[in-house]
Amino acid sequence: MQSSDYDSPTGSGSLPTSPVIAPALKVQKTRHTLNDASSLSQSEINLPHRRSHPSAASLYASTLSPPASRSQSPIGRPASRITSSVFGTGSNIGLALASGAGDSPGDPLNLILRAFVPHVAVYTSDDTDVLLKEKGFARGLWELLRPFGERVQGKVIIRDSNGSSRTYEDYSIHFVRFGEGIVHPEPVTTSLKHAQVPRANGVSEKANEPRGGPPKQGISISDVESVTDRHLRYAEESFFSLPQSPTSHGLDIDVPSPYYALYLRRLLSGLPLTPHETFAHPVACVIAISSRNQTPIETLQRLYTESFSGDARLPDWVNAQYLRYYVLVHEEERDDITRSMSLFDQMKRNFGLHCHLLRIRGTQSAATDDDSIPLPRSEWMSASEEMVDIRRSEDQEDFEDPTRYIFDSDATAIRTFIREMVTQSIIPTMERKVSEWNDQVASRRRGLAGRFVGLTKRWGFGSSSRTSFSGQSSGSNYDSLGFYRQEAPEAIMRRLADYAFMLRDWKLANSTYDLLRSDFNNDKAWRYHAAANEMAAISLLILPQKLSARARAETIDPAFEAAFYSYITRCSFPYGALRCLALGMELLRLRGGSCIDDAAKWGTRLLESRITGPVGDALIKERLAVCYASKQGMGTHLWGSRRRKSAMWSVLGAEAWVAQSKYIQAQRCLNEARKTYAELPSGNGIDKFSYASALVLGIGKRLNENLEAGEQQHLRDDNDDDGSTSDEEEESEVVDEESEALDVVVRGRRISALGLPGGTAGAGLETAPLKAQLDASEEERERQDTGGAKDDFG
């Protein structure tokens, strides 16, 4: 029997090309295999809700360019990074950080390593801003430097607290504008006024309210959801312009969906400047002037004074003793290099060796220039910033492609500048600070005397045992304004732990976070307490050491539980809870073995809390399916695997996408469920579970209807654009083609093959009528007694 172009074979193939460059093809000439949707995932197929501007394609490049090496599910899947037995973590007891993370840009571990990195502030003079505006960068030097900092050229050597040196080729820094992104803490005396009555599941009413309006706590979950939704919508609109590419991708175990990677990246992008964690606090500040400046030394001194003690200084809870790095921006075409070299020597005599002469061309580069290259779009822009660009592309009819171009010589000079600053100034300064803080503060707390001091502080010996009306001990360093001042031991140790984490000294970071947890708990500094527990668990999971089930139950579980409870109930900070459990789930999954069940437990906890919006909810369900699919079984029957649970979460993910009218991503999840059920040794799938069968068939029916409606809409749009064929002729041609297909096989576009609960795959499933299956399900339901299986996916 022949199969139509719409059948979903069990075989494998490569991902389709990007929708941006794919030509618009007639639907009846080149049909899409249903499984083409698997590479694009989620969307609203209210096709077209609005046609995206053609120049906006570069805004969606991160999700329209899937990873080059995408595994083919379930055939040909590569081995998991962590090989393990079904009962434990196996012979590989840790995560291969240096060897594997940097090769996969969308890998969750790689995203963690690239998110928590040193932040470098940029503070420039007015003449430098004018020079960069003439060059085409309205937001100044920061906008030019930011994309290059996301991948430092060459190898970076870092020495840990034990004196051992390690080399990394995937190190990065984040450039930020000086003084932006500050989120001030809430005073302790007023924090209870904003607390809401928690629900039965421990989530406050405030955490579940619609998160509209400007973010008050830094990163807004609603912005992250909106950005991901726009990418999904654009992919859905572009899907019907794809050329034929017969693939059958489901969910991928080793390479996450580009939309989930985008969701995590935006969740970790644009970290705000907050007191309870110091990742976004500047490790260094680039103070820059241009060669046009008439009083260069005086301007540099003024900028330093403003950043240290002037009106532009940072809050009291930010360490003011960060590195100052002085840059002279020389304009090649107009200024004299001899004068700039003389001025640069004078800068080094006045301000030390932390100086650099950056030579760039002052004219604006265009795409037609011989030596111009496109400036890469920043991968780590905040969700709110990306939403501004997307809304502009939707609202402006004359929207232009935002891709910028720079001269190749400028790019080379910037890469050299960043590498020199990182390897010769930033890394050595951080290493020196870590050694200093560890010897002077942290080591005293680790000894017997330090523990005795902690006990006396906890029980009030040696000081008044009375507590203030805010609940704080009179001997506490926790300010009533809601923060520790920069000179407090707790603040210094938090900086030490974060510096060690950014330098990838996981052991020192974990031990320091562990010390801080009790201090913050005693002081009732709940946001500090939640953040310390979160990072203690994350750093311990990254450590290359074996974690038994008992060790996880005694360390990881209490840390995540304390962090989640404090973020939600005590702080009303849903973003922190979402970040904590999402990262914990991914790191536990990477460890394999019995850790996978723990990962699924925290992912389920995240869904139950209802912190995420609809997009995040569906993505987490996808990841739970991947999580269970990565559990390896033993023997020929794969005892101990979680394939049925993986298929169940794939179906639930498809249901979530269908509810949002994102039918392409729903089809991808349903593909994976069908393949997983087909691989079960029993061969029965979910045939014996009538409710589950009806659910899967109902999802398949909705996918059929809406995907075909989308094709018809795309066909009408094409006819409106070219006007080459009348509507009557096109409609007649489509009807004739479909009638001819029906003579051979039951409607090829039907997704009932994917929706069938049977465990076997092949022509028999693909030609089974949908109506007959539904009738059979009703009859079986009537025959079942009260003791039969009612509603289960296995």
Side-chain angles (χ1 to χ4, degrees):
M1 180 180 291
Q2 281 183 323
S3 61
S4 76
D5 291 339
Y6 303 112
D7 293 338
S8 297
T10 310
S12 58
S14 58
L15 285 174
T17 56
S18 172
V20 182
I21 60 175
L25 302 178
K26 301 298 181 187
V27 178
Q28 72 277 8
K29 300 294 184 182
T30 302
R31 294 283 189 174
H32 299 284
T33 302
L34 269 177
N35 297 311
D36 289 346
S38 59
S39 66
L40 295 172
S41 85
Q42 324 131 306
S43 68
E44 288 178 327
I45 228 180
N46 300 335
L47 279 176
H49 100 102
R50 176 190 170 112
R51 282 275 178 164
S52 298
H53 199 284
S55 298
S58 61
L59 299 178
Y60 306 96
S62 61
T63 51
L64 293 178
S65 300
S69 57
R70 181 66 63 92
S71 68
Q72 300 164 358
S73 170
I75 298 175
R77 281 174 173 162
S80 178
R81 177 186 299 178
I82 304 301
T83 58
S84 57
S85 71
V86 66
F87 300 110
T89 54
S91 58
N92 192 335
I93 59 175
L95 303 178
L97 294 178
S99 60
D103 300 332
S104 305
D107 185 86
L109 177 58
N110 181 67
L111 293 178
I112 295 173
L113 297 181
R114 296 178 63 194
F116 300 107
V117 296
H119 283 56
V120 179
V122 179
Y123 195 37
T124 59
S125 61
D126 295 337
D127 53 278
T128 308
D129 294 336
V130 172
L131 171 61
L132 269 297
K133 286 181 180 179
E134 294 175 358
K135 195 172 176 60
F137 297 93
R139 291 182 285 183
L141 183 63
W142 161 77
E143 185 181 6
L144 175 62
L145 297 179
R146 181 170 62 164
F148 294 96
E150 294 171 1
R151 188 65 180 258
V152 178
Q153 187 180 30
K155 298 180 179 180
V156 176
I157 301 175
I158 301 177
R159 188 177 61 231
D160 61 19
S161 56
N162 296 323
S164 303
S165 297
R166 295 191 178 184
T167 302
Y168 301 98
E169 297 184 5
D170 59 342
Y171 203 75
S172 61
I173 60 174
H174 289 171
F175 285 101
V176 296
R177 284 193 281 194
F178 183 80
E180 287 198 353
I182 299 177
V183 177
H184 294 280
E186 293 183 357
V188 177
T189 55
T190 62
S191 59
L192 296 178
K193 296 180 181 180
H194 303 282
Q196 303 293 329
V197 178
R199 293 183 176 177
N201 61 357
V203 183
S204 66
E205 296 282 354
K206 186 174 181 179
N208 286 296
E209 290 176 358
R211 292 170 291 275
K216 299 180 181 180
Q217 305 265 2
I219 299 176
S220 171
I221 298 178
S222 61
D223 285 341
V224 178
E225 294 265 336
S226 298
V227 167
T228 310
D229 183 74
R230 289 300 205 284
H231 280 256
L232 297 167
R233 184 182 300 169
Y234 184 83
E236 188 89 13
E237 293 175 357
S238 306
F239 169 68
F240 293 99
S241 296
L242 280 172
Q244 183 178 9
S245 179
T247 63
S248 58
H249 290 284
L251 301 179
D252 204 328
I253 292 180
D254 293 292
V255 181
S257 159
Y259 305 103
Y260 180 73
L262 174 70
Y263 191 90
L264 270 189
R265 188 183 299 112
R266 289 297 168 262
L267 197 66
L268 300 173
S269 299
L271 295 177
L273 199 66
T274 58
H276 66 275
E277 61 181 16
T278 64
F279 291 111
H281 293 204
V283 170
C285 178
V286 172
I287 299 179
I289 61 170
S290 73
S291 53
R292 300 177 178 180
N293 196 290
Q294 300 301 318
T295 55
I297 302 299
E298 292 78 5
T299 302
L300 290 173
Q301 291 174 342
R302 177 179 56 82
L303 294 175
Y304 170 80
T305 303
E306 290 176 356
S307 65
F308 182 74
S309 59
D311 296 336
R313 70 182 184 276
L314 298 176
D316 292 338
W317 36 267
V318 178
N319 179 30
Q321 302 300 325
Y322 48 84
L323 172 70
R324 267 71 172 187
Y325 198 88
Y326 301 91
V327 176
L328 173 61
V329 182
H330 170 74
E331 185 182 358
E332 292 281 16
E333 288 95 347
R334 302 179 184 177
D335 293 331
D336 183 11
I337 185 60
T338 304
R339 176 180 177 274
S340 296
M341 291 292 293
S342 175
L343 176 58
F344 181 64
D345 292 336
Q346 188 178 358
M347 287 171 55
K348 290 191 290 185
R349 287 194 299 269
N350 283 271
F351 302 104
L353 298 178
H354 298 298
C355 300
H356 189 86
L357 175 61
L358 179 61
R359 301 173 61 176
I360 60 175
R361 298 172 63 176
T363 55
Q364 184 171 352
S365 176
T368 54
D369 294 336
D370 293 336
D371 58 343
S372 67
I373 59 174
L375 181 68
R377 185 172 173 82
S378 174
E379 297 180 5
W380 291 92
M381 65 173 59
S382 64
S384 58
E385 181 184 354
E386 185 171 3
M387 276 306 302
V388 171
D389 293 339
I390 292 176
R391 290 193 181 103
R392 187 183 301 116
S393 69
E394 294 174 347
D395 297 338
Q396 297 180 2
E397 295 295 337
D398 56 346
F399 180 78
E400 297 181 358
D401 188 346
T403 303
R404 306 288 180 82
Y405 292 85
I406 61 172
F407 297 104
D408 186 56
S409 58
D410 293 348
T412 302
I414 294 173
R415 293 191 191 101
T416 303
F417 154 61
I418 293 176
R419 171 167 177 78
E420 179 181 318
M421 179 177 63
V422 170
T423 58
Q424 298 181 15
S425 297
I426 292 180
I427 297 298
T429 300
M430 294 179 68
E431 293 172 346
R432 186 171 60 254
K433 290 291 185 181
V434 165
S435 177
E436 175 185 334
W437 294 333
N438 191 27
D439 293 340
Q440 296 181 2
V441 182
S443 61
R444 298 179 182 179
R445 286 293 316 278
R446 295 189 181 97
L448 182 61
R451 296 186 180 185
F452 179 74
V453 171
L455 287 174
T456 57
K457 178 181 176 182
R458 178 177 182 180
W459 298 107
F461 297 121
S463 63
S464 174
S465 61
R466 294 175 298 173
T467 56
S468 65
F469 64 91
S470 62
Q472 306 300 315
S473 172
S474 58
S476 172
N477 293 316
Y478 190 52
D479 197 289
S480 60
L481 296 177
F483 61 86
Y484 291 94
R485 298 190 179 272
Q486 57 178 294
E487 66 276 2
E490 293 84 356
I492 294 175
M493 290 180 63
R494 176 68 206 210
R495 287 198 299 272
L496 165 64
D498 290 347
Y499 272 42
F501 193 97
M502 291 186 286
L503 293 176
R504 305 186 184 182
D505 190 351
W506 319 113
K507 186 175 182 179
L508 176 61
N510 176 258
S511 63
T512 309
Y513 288 129
D514 190 57
L515 282 175
L516 286 170
R517 290 191 296 174
S518 59
D519 290 347
F520 296 149
N521 182 62
N522 297 336
D523 293 339
K524 296 181 174 56
W526 298 125
R527 189 165 293 196
Y528 284 86
H529 179 253
N533 277 282
E534 174 192 1
M535 298 312 299
I538 289 175
S539 58
L540 184 58
L541 288 173
I542 298 177
L543 264 174
Q545 69 180 28
K546 183 176 181 179
L547 286 176
S548 63
R550 180 178 178 180
R552 294 196 305 273
E554 294 176 350
T555 56
I556 301 297
D557 290 352
F560 280 141
E561 185 65 42
F564 184 78
Y565 180 79
S566 293
Y567 275 137
I568 291 296
T569 306
R570 291 164 170 164
C571 306
S572 297
F573 189 46
Y575 164 78
L578 172 58
R579 188 184 74 177
C580 172
L581 294 193
L583 298 185
M585 178 183 68
E586 293 297 336
L587 291 175
L588 283 166
R589 184 190 69 84
L590 288 175
R591 282 187 166 266
S594 58
C595 293
I596 290 179
D597 294 320
D598 289 351
K601 176 185 69 175
W602 291 114
T604 307
R605 179 73 174 274
L606 187 57
L607 291 178
E608 292 173 350
S609 66
R610 293 183 293 174
I611 295 173
T612 63
V615 174
D617 179 82
L619 288 173
I620 294 298
K621 289 176 180 176
E622 277 191 9
R623 294 306 292 173
L624 283 171
V626 171
C627 187
Y628 280 122
S630 60
K631 182 69 177 291
Q632 300 177 4
M634 297 182 66
T636 56
H637 293 286
L638 299 178
W639 299 110
S641 65
R642 302 290 187 266
R643 290 178 292 172
R644 280 188 175 274
K645 288 188 176 181
S646 174
M648 180 195 74
W649 283 108
S650 294
V651 173
L652 293 179
E655 183 184 28
W657 289 124
V658 167
Q660 302 174 51
S661 300
K662 295 184 170 56
Y663 303 105
I664 293 178
Q665 184 69 1
Q667 178 271 333
R668 182 188 183 201
C669 292
L670 208 56
N671 255 1
E672 183 67 16
R674 178 187 69 87
K675 293 175 182 179
T676 304
Y677 282 128
E679 290 181 333
L680 294 176
S682 63
N684 293 326
I686 54 173
D687 279 337
K688 297 182 179 180
F689 302 96
S690 57
Y691 294 155
S693 300
L695 172 64
V696 176
L697 289 169
I699 295 174
K701 183 178 180 180
R702 290 188 63 182
L703 290 179
N704 289 332
E705 296 171 353
N706 288 279
L707 287 173
E708 289 185 355
E711 281 191 345
Q712 297 294 335
Q713 179 65 46
H714 177 73
L715 179 62
R716 288 192 294 269
D717 292 341
D718 284 346
N719 291 336
D720 292 341
D721 291 340
D722 53 34
S724 59
T725 310
S726 65
D727 293 340
E728 293 79 6
E729 292 174 349
E730 294 289 346
E731 184 177 356
S732 175
E733 185 176 352
V734 173
V735 170
D736 291 343
E737 183 184 11
E738 292 183 348
S739 300
E740 181 181 357
L742 284 172
D743 293 337
V744 180
V745 66
V746 176
R747 193 158 203 158
R749 188 59 169 176
R750 288 293 185 197
I751 200 168
S752 55
L754 303 181
L756 284 175
T760 59
L765 285 181
E766 293 167 349
T767 57
L770 181 62
K771 180 75 165 56
Q773 289 291 331
L774 290 173
D775 293 341
S777 298
E778 293 295 334
E779 294 174 3
E780 183 179 353
R781 187 182 310 166
E782 293 175 359
R783 291 196 306 268
Q784 286 179 341
D785 57 14
T786 57
K790 295 288 179 126
D791 188 10
D792 194 1
F793 290 91

